[in-house]
């Protein structure tokens, strides 16, 4: 298979193998190919009959010297006359050359008439006997044909004629044994053997002969025969190539093959027409020769018939090849159409299958009305794409029908593919219709359930907000009863007919989750109805009995809201599974308020009211339960999360997306263009995480607040994206300050109707991060000894660690002068400002002493693999532009670090020593707590390195038996400070081996030296 060398293998789409009957050569093509082979065989046979073994080009040099020629004359018995004219160079012609010349001249007549006789006419009138004798011997030795007679014109001079006569008389017997030789004295004697009209003028005849014309004609005939043979072989070879070539299986190769075949076909046709023009010209020349030399008509007609036959057969071969070419080219074009259709079919099949998979992944019901509406909107989008793809599929189907109607050889395959696409489209349409019906019905069901739950909320709100002091009169109790009755008559709940009837109505879409929601809502309706019945029974007792004025004691009346309680406000959504308890203490007082009347009574209306939000409990103590407070915090967490997601979306759509709006491009300053990543950072990533993942998980925790901690811990890694956002915040603020007054931001703010500018909304992610830990603290406060409290503690610690990590990273990006990548040092664990004294073993003692009394202010950054000492530079700029920077000074690899936790004289000091105490850094922390925190974190780093070293070197744990301890610090300090005793630091708590040495961690008790 030929292919374009420049074409890449991936430019065409390989769709797999087609059925063999669609690839192999068809029967009609095979019939045309066999016709081509038959015509080619006939042409080859004609060429074989007309061709002679020797070509004129082999003897052209000697023929041009005219040593012999075939004039076309005939003697007795129609013997062909071959003339050897007077030629001075005859004796110089080699024997083999003479043989070839005579052989060629005798082959031409013998090819036409096998067994024909020849007469040699030897003109030696100007020659000698010796030359004649030599020529006769050479002719006798090399003449290949049936030699009938040799006529020799002897020399005309007296002497040579006499010598010739004598010589011939003595040699006549020798010659006669080999060939009949007749010695002629003159041309007149020649006429006794050959007619005058068969002799050329030089021998007194009338036969016209031009040797140069004969040479040209013979050359043209042989050249034409060779060319015809070559063109026939090329046509046959090309036909065989087309018939036997395996068709490619990608569109690019097929297109290239079509072009290559067409170019080759055109070139062959052009060569063939050129040969045919040459043949027709040759026929004209032969006809002219035949008309001019009537005596040679028989010989010329033989050549004319041969050329004419070759032309006719060449034309037949061209016709046969054209027929085969048309069928093959049609097959190849249809094959290309088939592959193009197959490519479109597979594209549409994949697209429809993907849409079907997306339809299957789309749930048939949501958890709430809002979620179901989101699903319906997603279904609308999916249907739009499906309509577009099915329109394209219809176009492909139409294309398939058109190809089938054009008598394409792959008719069956086109019909099959069109039916498959139609089936896929019909199935997708039916599934989308069924999914829409399911979602619509589930939305209807969830709306009914939410309506029922809303009715429960409003009923509970009505009962909770009825003022107890109004019940002391009959009119007040009757008014309360009327309120309850009006509420019950206003809008009965959808579950009035019972849960079973609703199940039957929505049987087609019911899932276990929806059944649970129906049961839960029904239980709530029953519970609220029971509460109404209990309240009505109590109020009727009060209205039926005339009571004296009483002093009502209500629990915390000042906290009972006059307006709708937010806990029961429908805007907070639908809640399940909580307990609602109402308790009213109605005391009927006597004369003394401190003593209860015998008629005093306590009326309690108590019922378990399952609800997800919280349980309301109005008790005599008036204190909120921990579960209710947890519900409060959960609601605040979820509601603020929704607001946060909405605010992020408004910024991304109202500002970030508008930066690509051509209509607002003129309002945007040049410095702002192409700076979306700087201005907004990774806010898009944050929004996607919260809107698609975290908010949904928080909403799933509404019924089970104890899972909130697990939710935060599972998404701990996702919150690391805030670190990237905060690190970008300085660049974002700098860009904002440059462009805050531009018309682009003002126009975006006007469209969004925001009261605050964009900078306030860019601060939202930072504020949200701090809000989480506050809400988690509140949840933890009300979850003591409850399920999930440990997870809440872990979530709180994770968020605090994140805040610390973000703060540390904000400082880290301000480090300047460090040669290398800070990321190679690992994560920043701690950072802070300290007073530092440095002591070196090497160097002048004066410098060591000076370092003791002049501390340096250094900002330390503790990484996982190194400890950096930096100098904090003064903040430069004014206002918001003030930014701190840290100039790099030292870097200590943690693999060579040791610490001394307590230093004499100051409980806030500790030592960091490096590389076998070559360098000692005495560090003074701002407070003891800061010192302890840093020591704890350093110990963790060193311990982790010890574990890694033990794993790498496969050492047993721990290697305390052969531990190498550095000399006590007190021994070193005796030389420099006389106030320290030798045995003051005798307690050695533990040692931590680092990567290449053992490091001692010493504790010093400052109280021992006071």
């Amino acid at each position: 298979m030929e292919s374009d060398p420049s074409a890449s293998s991936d430019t065409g789409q390989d769709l797999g193998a087609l059925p063999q009957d669609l690839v192999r050569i068809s029967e009609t093509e095979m019939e045309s190919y066999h016709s081509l082979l038959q015509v080619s065989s006939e042409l080859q046979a004609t060429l074989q009959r007309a061709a002679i073994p020797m070509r004129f080009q082999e003897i052209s040099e000697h023929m041009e010297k005219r040593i012999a020629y075939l004039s076309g004359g005939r003697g007795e018995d129609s013997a062909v006359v071959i003339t050897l004219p007077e030629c001075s160079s005859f004796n110089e012609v080699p024997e083999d050359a003479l043989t070839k010349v005579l052989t060629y001249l005798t082959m031409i007549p013998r090819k036409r008439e096998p067994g024909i006789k020849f007469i040699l006419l030897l003109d030696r009138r100007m020659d000698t006997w010796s030359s004649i004798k030599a020529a006769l011997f050479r002719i006798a030795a090399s003449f290949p044909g049936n030699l009938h007679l040799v006529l020799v014109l002897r020399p005309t001079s007296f002497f040579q004629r006499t010598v010739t006569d004598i010589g011939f008389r003595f040699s006549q017997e020798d010659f006669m044994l080999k060939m009949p030789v007749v010695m002629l004295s003159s041309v007149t004697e020649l006429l006794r053997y050959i007619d005058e009209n068969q002799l050329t003028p030089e021998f007194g005849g009338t036969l016209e002969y031009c040797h140069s014309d004969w040479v040209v004609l013979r050359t043209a005939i042989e050249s034409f025969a060779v060319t015809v043979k070559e063109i026939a072989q090329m046509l046959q070879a090309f036909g065989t190539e087309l018939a036997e070539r395996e068709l490619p299986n990608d569109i690019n190769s097929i297109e290239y093959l079509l072009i290559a075949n067409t170019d080759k076909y055109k070139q062959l046709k052009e060569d063939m027409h050129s040969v045919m023009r040459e043949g027709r010209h040759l026929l004209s020349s032969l006809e002219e020769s035949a008309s001019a030399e009537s005596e040679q008509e028989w010989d010329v007609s033989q050549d004319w018939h041969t050329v004419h036959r070759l032309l006719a057969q060449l034309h037949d071969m061209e016709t046969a090849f054209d027929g085969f070419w048309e069928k093959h080219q049609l097959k190849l074009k249809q094959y290309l159409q088939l592959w193009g259709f197959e490519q479109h079919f597979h594209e549409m099949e994949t697209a429809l299958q993907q849409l079907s998979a997306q339809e299957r992944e789309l749930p048939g019901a949501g958890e709430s009305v809002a979620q179901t509406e989101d699903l319906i909107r997603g279904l609308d989008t999916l249907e739009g794409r499906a309509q577009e793809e099915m329109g394209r599929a219809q176009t492909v189907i139409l294309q398939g029908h058109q190809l089938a109607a054009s008598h394409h050889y792959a008719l069956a395959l086109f019909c099959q593919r069109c039916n498959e696409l139609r089936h896929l489209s019909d199935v997708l349409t039916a599934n989308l219709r069924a999914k829409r019906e399911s979602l619509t019905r589930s939305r209807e069901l969830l709306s009914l359930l939410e309506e029922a739950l809303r009715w429960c909320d409003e009923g509970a709100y009505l009962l909770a907000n009825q003022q107890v002091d109004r019940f002391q009169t009959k009119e007040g109790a009757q008014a309360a009863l009327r309120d309850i009755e009006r509420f019950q008559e206003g809008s009965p709940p959808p579950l009035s007919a019972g849960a079973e009837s609703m199940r039957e109505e929505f049987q087609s879409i019911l899932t276990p989750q929806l059944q649970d929601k129906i049961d839960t809502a029904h239980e709530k309706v029953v519970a609220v109805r029971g509460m109404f019945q209990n309240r009505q029974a109590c109020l009727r007792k009060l209205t039926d009995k005339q009571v004296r004025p009483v002093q009502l004691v209500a629990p915390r009346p000042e906290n009972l809201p006059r307006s709708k309680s937010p806990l029961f406000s429908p805007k907070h959504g639908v809640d399940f599974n909580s307990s609602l308890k109402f308790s009213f203490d109605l005391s009927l007082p006597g004369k003394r308020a401190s003593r209860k009347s015998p008629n005093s009574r306590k009326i309690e209306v108590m019922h378990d009211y399952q609800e997800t939000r919280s349980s309301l409990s109005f008790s005599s103590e008036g204190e909120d339960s921990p579960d209710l407070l947890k519900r409060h915090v959960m609601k605040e967490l979820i509601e603020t999360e929704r607001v946060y997601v909405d605010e992020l979306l408004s910024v991304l759509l109202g500002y970030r997306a508008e930066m690509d709006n051509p209509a607002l491009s003129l309002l945007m300053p040049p410095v702002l263009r192409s700076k979306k990543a700087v201005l907004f950072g990774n806010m898009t990533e944050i929004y996607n995480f919260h809107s698609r993942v975290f908010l949904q998980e928080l909403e799933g925790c509404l019924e089970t607040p104890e899972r909130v901690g697990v939710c935060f811990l599972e998404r701990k890694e996702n919150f690391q994206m805030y670190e990237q956002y905060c690190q970008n915040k300085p660049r974002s603020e700098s860009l904002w300050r440059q462009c805050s007054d531009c018309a682009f931001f003002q126009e975006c703010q006007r469209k969004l109707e925001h009261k605050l500018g964009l900078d306030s909304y860019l601060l939202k992610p930072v504020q949200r991060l701090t809000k989480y830990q506050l809400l988690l603290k509140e949840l933890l406060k009300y979850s003591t000894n409850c399920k999930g409290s440990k997870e809440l503690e872990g979530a709180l610690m994770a968020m605090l660690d994140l805040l610390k990590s973000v703060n540390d990273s904000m400082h880290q990006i301000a480090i300047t002068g460090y040669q290398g990548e800070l990321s190679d040092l690992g994560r920043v664990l701690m950072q802070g400002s300290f007073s530092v004294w440095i002591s070196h073993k090497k160097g002048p003692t004066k410098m060591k002493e000076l370092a003791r009394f002049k501390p340096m202010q250094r900002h330390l950054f503790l990484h996982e693999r190194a400890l950096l000492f930096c100098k904090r530079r003064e903040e430069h700029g004014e206002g918001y532009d003030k930014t701190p920077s840290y100039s790099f000074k030292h870097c200590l690899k943690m693999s060579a670090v040791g610490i001394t936790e307590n230093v004499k004289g100051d409980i806030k000091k500790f030592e960091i020593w490096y590389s076998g105490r070559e360098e000692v850094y005495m560090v003074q922390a701002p407070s003891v707590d800061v010192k302890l925190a840093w020591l704890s974190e350093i110990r963790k780093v060193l311990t982790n390195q010890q574990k890694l070293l033990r794993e790498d070197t496969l050492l047993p744990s721990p290697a305390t038996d052969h531990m190498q301890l550095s000399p006590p610090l007190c021994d070193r300090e005796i030389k420099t400070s006389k106030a320290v005793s030798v045995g003051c630091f005798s307690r050695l708590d533990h040692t931590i081996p680092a990567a290449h040495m053992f490091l001692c961690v010493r504790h010093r008790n400052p109280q021992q030296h006071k």
Side-chain angles (χ1 to χ4, degrees), residues 1 48 188 208 237 248 252 275-276 295 304 306 319 322 341 345 372 390 402 545 557 568 639 646 656 706 777 819 966:
M1 182 189 71
Q48 186 68 26
T188 304
E208 296 293 334
N252 285 352
V275 172
M276 297 181 76
E295 295 82 358
W304 185 90
T306 300
T319 303
D322 286 343
F341 177 81
F345 166 77
T372 305
M390 285 189 287
Q402 291 174 348
K545 183 175 182 179
F568 294 97
E639 288 300 325
D646 291 341
R656 193 179 189 276
E706 63 272 8
K777 284 181 181 177
Q819 301 297 324
S966 59

Side-chain angles (χ1 to χ4, degrees), residues 342-360:
E342 279 288 292
Q343 179 176 347
H344 294 153
F345 166 77
H346 284 288
E347 289 175 356
M348 293 314 308
E349 182 184 38
T350 302
L352 292 177
Q353 288 175 349
Q354 289 177 350
L355 289 172
S356 297
Q358 293 175 9
E359 180 274 327
R360 289 192 296 270

Side-chain angles (χ1 to χ4, degrees), residues 655-670:
Y655 286 97
R656 193 179 189 276
E658 290 296 320
M659 292 180 72
D660 296 326
N661 186 357
L664 299 180
S665 60
L666 297 177
L667 303 180
M668 196 183 307

